[in-house]
Amino acid sequence: MPLTRRKDLGLLALRLGTGGVLVAHGTQKLFGWFGGAGLDGTARAMEQMGFTPGRPSALAAGLGEAGGGALLALGLATPAAGAAAAGAMAGAVSVHAPAGFFAQGGGFEYPAFLGFVAASLGVSGPGCFSVDHLTRHRLDRPAVLLAAFTISAAAATVVVRRRIAAMEAAQAAATRQDGRPGGA
């Protein structure tokens, strides 16, 4: 088997696996599938995590994961798909970061890994076993890559900064309420 075909098969396997995991996580948020909370439950959880307003935040996270994952699996609009999924994972990393790196302690290892793989696929391209290849890469061009990752990085930065500000405001309010740090 030629080396290029091996790389294309590897990209296909990586896209299908990563895309499938992202779709599963996104549909948990959007529809409550696979034991998820659905949009209403996810919206409440997002509010508690400092992502306000909760419902649009839940919708954006679910669409970034499910939509980005589905597009990655198909190899369609691969730069935009990778950027969307990576942006969604940046928000998840911000939630898990206080627990450190490793997943067994609640850390950010897993969402960071998904985000890095999604971003890598977005940058590297989908390979020849993809819808992008069938459409002559109309949605897999350098301009799409640049625009998608610029928009995703800017949006993730805004969302994470707003979350940090909301968490700091909640902490300050809890401190004022009972005079003790953390509301304890």
Side-chain angles (χ1 to χ4, degrees), residues 13-164:
L14 195 56
R15 285 191 354 256
L16 291 174
T18 304
V21 169
L22 288 164
V23 167
H25 280 280
T27 57
Q28 285 181 311
K29 291 172 179 64
L30 296 171
F31 310 118
W33 295 355
F34 309 112
L39 197 53
D40 291 335
T42 301
R44 287 188 297 274
M46 295 294 256
E47 288 273 348
Q48 291 174 342
M49 290 183 273
F51 294 105
T52 57
R55 190 170 185 86
S57 297
L59 187 60
L63 289 174
E65 291 176 12
L71 291 173
L72 277 176
L74 292 169
L76 175 60
T78 305
M89 291 299 98
V93 166
S94 77
V95 171
H96 292 276
F101 178 73
F102 291 104
Q104 77 247 21
F108 64 91
E109 172 185 17
Y110 184 64
F113 182 74
L114 286 175
F116 283 126
V117 173
S120 297
L121 287 167
V123 170
S124 70
C128 73
F129 303 117
S130 66
V131 176
D132 276 338
H133 184 75
L134 291 174
T135 61
R136 298 193 169 134
H137 297 276
R138 285 191 171 90
L139 298 173
D140 180 26
R141 301 198 185 262
V144 174
L145 176 77
L146 180 62
F149 277 91
T150 299
I151 292 167
S152 180
T157 300
V158 168
V159 167
V160 169
R161 284 186 178 170
R162 284 181 53 195
R163 176 186 179 270
I164 291 168

